[in-house]
Amino acid sequence: MNTYGLVDRNIILNKNLSLEAKGIYGILMSLDGTDFELDEICECVSESKEVVEKALNELLNHGFISFEKPTG
């Protein structure tokens, strides 16, 4: 497993995104595209679910991430 990765500068330098959204995006990119649960992300940061959900919605609303509902 690599201990480093690249993050899109369009996200990091975007003045319309909060630090929380940028940080959550970095965490998501470190997960290598695997499925995740909200609780798993919350375990990686010292923020509440509400803060993480707000950041995820911010990324979603700007078109940087999308969600897929689990099948089955």
Side-chain angles (χ1 to χ4, degrees):
M1 177 179 179
N2 284 337
T3 58
Y4 63 91
L6 299 176
V7 177
D8 186 342
R9 284 187 176 160
N10 291 315
I11 306 269
I12 298 303
L13 300 178
N14 189 318
K15 293 179 181 182
N16 296 314
L17 292 176
S18 67
L19 276 174
E20 289 89 359
K22 293 173 184 184
I24 294 298
Y25 185 83
I27 290 169
L28 294 176
M29 293 301 99
S30 75
L31 298 174
D32 295 327
T34 59
D35 293 336
F36 64 88
E37 297 289 330
L38 180 60
D39 290 336
E40 291 175 282
I41 296 173
C42 291
E43 289 176 10
C44 295
V45 297
S46 59
E47 298 292 347
S48 67
K49 275 188 180 183
E50 291 79 18
V51 170
V52 174
E53 284 178 326
K54 182 180 174 191
L56 289 171
N57 284 324
E58 192 176 336
L59 292 166
L60 181 67
N61 292 335
H62 281 87
F64 291 116
I65 62 170
S66 62
F67 294 114
E68 292 181 15
K69 292 186 179 184
T71 58

